[in-house]
């Protein structure tokens, strides 16, 4: 038996960091997915392959322990050498994904009672602020539900995925798992949750991402401290970000391309003022603008990770430029969420 | 007879652009000067040499016309070829300095009645937002006063220099000419003018500057348009800049090094939000921070021009890094203004 499910990643267009302080954010699902394939196992363990990251792991059915398998030894027996195998407590960044898969697979409803072979195909770079962990979690839960022939509403799926993220990360916004589940374009507030918005414009985006991922927790803490040290400056900046995100929603729904771009650029300056910009991100942002992007900004927590460039009629030029600087790919908005 | 006068350049630390909208700014005179030497002429013209820029010009005593002399023909006769000679209406950027010298020299009190040889030595890059034209103007007026054995109060000198800048540029803030005249550390508002402030800290600064100067007029216009398009965002940002500059004054006078640096970095993000940042400036700003600067930002109008990096204990590291990227030099604050 073989089942497959996929779920898209996301990009925040407006309001990152401000959202931590109760301000709204605007985010989209992107047409880059995590694809999970589950087959009946060839042995008693749960074997997980993530070929895109060269990560191969095994999850013990009984004690749920994750064992990372050295890439060179593809015999799928745990390596004895301590620097090539590890338990879930000291997984590398890449292998950390196994923790989401383990937690999703062993949620109450889907506990496996026999071996499984799981393949994870990733169209989203991980650690780049593009919602890879939410996409993997949603797709894993969806594939597991299909494997166990269980019905699952989208609402239930989104809820379960958020619970998995909470369990693995300690804290998590429901934004990512909502977008991976439902797709589309959302305006998010803590009070009202995710509201779908209907864009009246195409949004051809190019994502550029740096080799080093940003550490979201550390960056949120940095902004918190800055706000504490400069309440009379950072408070008003966060208020301005709120106004900006609300203006952006209007501009998106009324199809004002230039206005959306200008708001992205102002938002970028405010993120820079919050101290989450870096040399590499700033390079990508200005190279994109020089190559024809009308708007460009950090997407996500910053400090590394990704930028988005809004470049109607210039995606090829911007893509080529950013690829020459770091890594880049083109994305469009995915109205589709999870597919199973 | 030979007289000499010098006047320092300046760097804006806080509040550029906001100052156009009636907000305060903080600026310092820097220990880089323009030095003007006036000798009795060897012929009937006013010969001006600016060796640092390879600019040689002649000003006609009767009609005050400026004639740029080709560098290769140092015979000091105007060249006949149209691409090596020009009148004051189409002077190159470098040669534009001659216009300030001409206007200063021919102000009512100092009208020359015989030939002069004038040498301009520049320790300040021109077009970099570091007040080179004000320094040249103040030093020229001071040297001319000495040459004509006229008494000139500092107040009168500052006023005359501002008039020269107004005449040459059409518009000018008195900030630059005030600092070139008096030196020191000032808090400037349109209402109260320049107020001296007493810093309670050393400010070792490194200036980095790009090959391309920014076009101040164009940048001021860009900010004006952005403010017009987004009054609900840019208005509050300018208000925040005002608060920031006032907090910076307090931090400078109470010697809070880290606070000054953080305020510089927040100010930089706000300048970025105003749309006056570029790839090259941003590179300098983040390279400086990576090399140990605790604060760094655009100084002046942006769009090219200069950045300042505040780097206690790290000036050498920051200087070396910025020199490897573009051009850089170390500055300290000059308590001295014009010297004659």
């Amino acid at each position: 038996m073989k089942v497959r499910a996929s779920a898209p990643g996301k990009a925040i267009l407006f309001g990152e960091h401000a959202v931590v302080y109760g301000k709204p954010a605007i985010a989209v699902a992107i047409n880059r997915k995590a694809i999970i394939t589950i087959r009946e196992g060839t042995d008693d363990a749960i074997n997980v392959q993530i070929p895109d990251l060269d990560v191969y792991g095994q999850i013990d059915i009984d004690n749920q322990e994750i064992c990372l398998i050295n890439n060179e030894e593809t015999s799928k027996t745990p390596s004895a050498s301590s620097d090539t195998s590890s338990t879930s407590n000291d997984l590398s960044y890449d292998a950390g994904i196994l923790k989401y898969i383990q937690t999703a697979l062993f949620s109450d409803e889907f506990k496996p009672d026999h071996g499984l072979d799981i393949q994870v195909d990733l169209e989203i770079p991980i650690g780049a602020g593009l919602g890879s962990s939410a996409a993997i979690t949603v797709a894993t839960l969806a594939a597991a539900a299909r494997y166990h022939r269980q019905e699952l509403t989208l609402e239930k799926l989104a809820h379960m995925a958020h619970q998995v993220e909470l369990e693995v990360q300690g804290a998590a916004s429901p934004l990512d798992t909502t977008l991976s589940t439902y797709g589309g374009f959302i305006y998010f507030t803590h009070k009202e949750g995710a509201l779908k918005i209907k864009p009246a414009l195409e949004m051809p985006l190019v994502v550029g991402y740096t080799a080093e991922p940003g550490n979201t927790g550390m960056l949120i803490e940095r902004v918190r401290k800055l706000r504490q040290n400069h309440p009379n400056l950072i408070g008003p900046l966060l208020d301005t970000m709120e106004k900006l995100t609300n203006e952006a929603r209007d501009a998106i729904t009324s199809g004002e391309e230039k206005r959306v771009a200008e708001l992205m650029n102002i938002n970028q300056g405010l993120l820079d003022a919050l101290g989450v910009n870096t040399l590499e991100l700033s390079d990508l942002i200005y190279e994109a603008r020089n190559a024809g992007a009308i708007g460009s900004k950090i997407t996500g927590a910053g400090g590394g990770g990704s930028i988005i460039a809004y470049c109607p009629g210039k995606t090829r030029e911007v893509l080529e430029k950013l690829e020459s600087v770091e890594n880049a790919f083109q994305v469009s908005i995915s109205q589709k969420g999870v597919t199973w």
Side-chain angles (χ1 to χ4, degrees), chain A:
Chain A
M1 184 178 181
K2 179 180 127 180
V3 298
R4 177 171 287 176
S6 71
K10 69 94 186 36
I12 297 180
L13 297 187
F14 293 97
E16 46 274 272
H17 283 291
V19 79
V20 176
Y21 300 94
K23 312 299 186 191
I26 293 173
V28 293
I30 58 176
N31 65 341
R32 292 263 172 166
K33 305 183 292 290
I35 303 146
I36 305 283
T37 311
I38 303 182
R39 290 182 184 80
E40 205 167 323
T42 45
D43 58 29
D44 276 349
I46 295 169
N47 295 298
V48 183
Q49 301 185 47
I50 316 175
D52 299 303
L53 303 177
D54 258 350
V55 167
Y56 303 90
Q58 210 167 54
I59 305 170
D60 189 287
I61 286 194
D62 297 323
N63 64 14
Q64 300 178 30
E65 197 165 270
I66 297 171
C67 181
L68 196 58
I69 298 167
N70 183 6
N71 185 24
E72 266 100 70
E73 308 169 24
T74 44
S75 63
K76 295 198 181 159
T77 45
S79 156
S81 142
S82 67
D83 60 335
T84 55
S85 98
S86 59
T87 66
S88 55
N89 290 329
D90 63 335
L91 293 175
S92 74
Y93 202 87
D94 284 4
I97 286 180
L98 295 174
K99 191 75 190 140
Y100 293 90
I101 294 169
Q102 175 223 43
T103 309
L105 276 183
F106 284 85
S107 46
D108 287 342
E109 1 247 311
F110 309 137
K111 272 206 175 67
D113 58 2
H114 59 270
L116 299 172
D117 284 347
I118 298 179
Q119 178 159 335
V120 182
D121 294 298
L122 285 177
E123 297 171 357
I124 317 160
I126 67 162
L130 298 171
S132 58
S133 66
I136 289 167
T137 302
V138 168
T140 303
L141 286 168
R146 280 208 68 187
Y147 191 85
H148 290 95
R149 295 197 174 79
Q150 288 200 24
E151 289 292 325
L152 202 58
T153 62
L154 289 182
E155 199 183 347
K156 179 85 192 288
L157 174 57
H159 176 77
M160 286 177 75
H162 182 48
Q163 294 304 313
V164 169
E165 289 227 309
L166 280 176
E167 191 175 330
V168 176
Q169 297 167 192
S173 146
L175 191 70
D176 291 18
T177 39
T178 299
L179 280 166
S180 288
T181 305
Y182 295 99
F185 215 125
I186 68 168
Y187 173 84
F188 177 86
T189 59
H190 282 283
K191 224 183 238 171
E192 305 187 75
L195 303 173
K196 280 231 174 198
I197 58 181
K198 273 192 194 153
L201 38 71
E202 294 283 309
M203 284 209 73
L205 296 173
V206 172
V207 167
Y209 62 101
T210 65
E212 280 299 304
N215 181 330
T216 302
M218 207 191 71
L219 289 153
I220 287 177
E221 177 58 18
R222 184 186 297 177
V223 174
R224 196 191 62 74
K225 271 193 189 148
L226 195 73
R227 178 167 171 261
Q228 200 173 49
N229 290 345
H230 307 277
N232 298 326
L233 306 176
I234 304 302
L237 287 196
L238 294 170
D239 293 341
T240 301
M241 279 174 144
E242 177 170 23
K243 278 191 230 159
L244 189 149
T245 300
N246 289 334
E247 288 196 11
R249 184 184 51 181
D250 296 345
I252 289 164
T253 52
S254 60
E256 296 167 86
E257 191 173 273
K258 186 170 160 263
R259 190 168 180 79
V260 170
E262 283 184 353
L263 292 169
M264 285 175 73
N265 293 342
I266 298 172
N267 197 161
Q268 170 55 27
L270 299 182
L271 286 168
D272 187 274
L274 292 184
V276 301
N277 201 1
T278 66
L279 177 63
E280 291 76 18
L281 291 172
S282 187
D283 250 17
L284 287 168
I285 284 160
Y286 278 100
E287 289 285 11
R289 291 189 201 171
N290 289 355
I294 57 174
S296 62
K297 64 181 277 295
I298 290 169
T299 181
S306 302
I307 69 121
I308 43 169
Y310 178 33
C311 30
K314 292 277 184 186
T315 43
R316 195 179 47 77
E317 289 86 344
V318 173
L319 184 63
E320 274 173 16
K321 186 67 206 172
L322 296 195
E323 274 175 337
S324 78
V325 181
E326 297 251 5
N327 311 295
F329 55 85
Q330 199 188 329
V331 294
S332 56
I333 293 156
S334 173
Q335 289 301 337
K336 247 197 243 169
V338 65
T339 308
W340 46 358

